[in-house]
Amino acid sequence: HWDRSGPPQGPMTYSDTLTLRAQSGRPAEWWARTIFERLIHPVSREAVLSGALLLRPHRGHGSLAGWHVDANSPERVRLRRSGPLMVCHLEVSSDQGSVRIGSRVEPHHRVGAAVWRRIAPIHRSQGEALLRGAWQRSLDVREHPIDGIEG
């Protein structure tokens, strides 16, 4: 979903939200780490993020799968990653009745918007598959919550 929230010649922003209606019982960080660290192979993840989208990885304290952690609470994890084409934001939220993944992409210029237009449909379908995969993992009693990160 594209939105122009500035002057007529200003950049457009893409946003999308996927929701899984289910009794989760797990904190948002568990969902974020399961989706972005356990279900996506690091080489594949970086091929898309660093390669195709030119997003620079964030390393060290306060990072999750190469994303900078802007905020972290049991209910919500906000992630950010930027590069010369765009800034991308992800928000994973969890409550007793659902899990949501929100994406917001802010292209810096028309080239960034053109790149994202080609990636967006793939991103959405992969997001749906990853959310279902994380749900399957959440049913596994062997999966344990992990230590927190700071944002």
Side-chain angles (χ1 to χ4, degrees):
H1 306 78
W2 287 95
D3 176 45
R4 186 181 304 278
S5 58
Q9 272 66 26
M12 296 183 72
T13 299
Y14 173 89
S15 61
D16 194 6
T17 302
L18 300 170
T19 303
L20 173 69
R21 303 247 180 249
Q23 298 294 320
S24 74
R26 303 225 184 228
E29 183 182 342
W30 182 91
W31 290 95
R33 286 197 182 274
T34 298
I35 291 167
F36 302 119
E37 291 182 345
R38 295 181 181 147
L39 295 178
I40 303 174
H41 191 276
V43 173
S44 300
R45 179 179 64 230
E46 291 309 310
V48 172
L49 297 175
S50 297
L53 299 178
L54 302 178
L55 296 173
R56 292 181 289 276
H58 180 78
R59 303 274 186 241
H61 184 72
S63 68
L64 188 152
W67 293 77
H68 180 266
V69 178
D70 285 337
N72 184 15
S73 72
E75 299 81 26
R76 179 169 287 117
V77 174
R78 285 196 326 248
L79 307 170
R80 176 179 36 85
R81 196 159 171 177
S82 61
L85 298 178
M86 63 193 73
V87 176
C88 297
H89 304 268
L90 294 173
E91 181 173 291
V92 178
S93 59
S94 173
D95 58 35
Q96 290 303 314
S98 64
V99 178
R100 285 178 226 47
I101 303 174
S103 304
R104 189 175 82 242
V105 177
E106 301 167 354
H108 295 309
H109 40 68
R110 291 178 196 241
V111 174
V115 168
W116 185 252
R117 272 187 186 57
R118 290 186 158 284
I119 300 288
I122 299 164
H123 180 265
R124 182 170 179 82
S125 68
Q126 290 298 309
E128 291 169 348
L130 289 167
L131 199 51
R132 285 191 301 272
W135 170 247
Q136 288 301 313
R137 289 237 177 152
S138 77
L139 299 176
D140 187 344
V141 295
R142 295 169 296 186
E143 288 285 326
H144 299 288
I146 57 178
D147 294 333
I149 57 173
E150 296 179 18

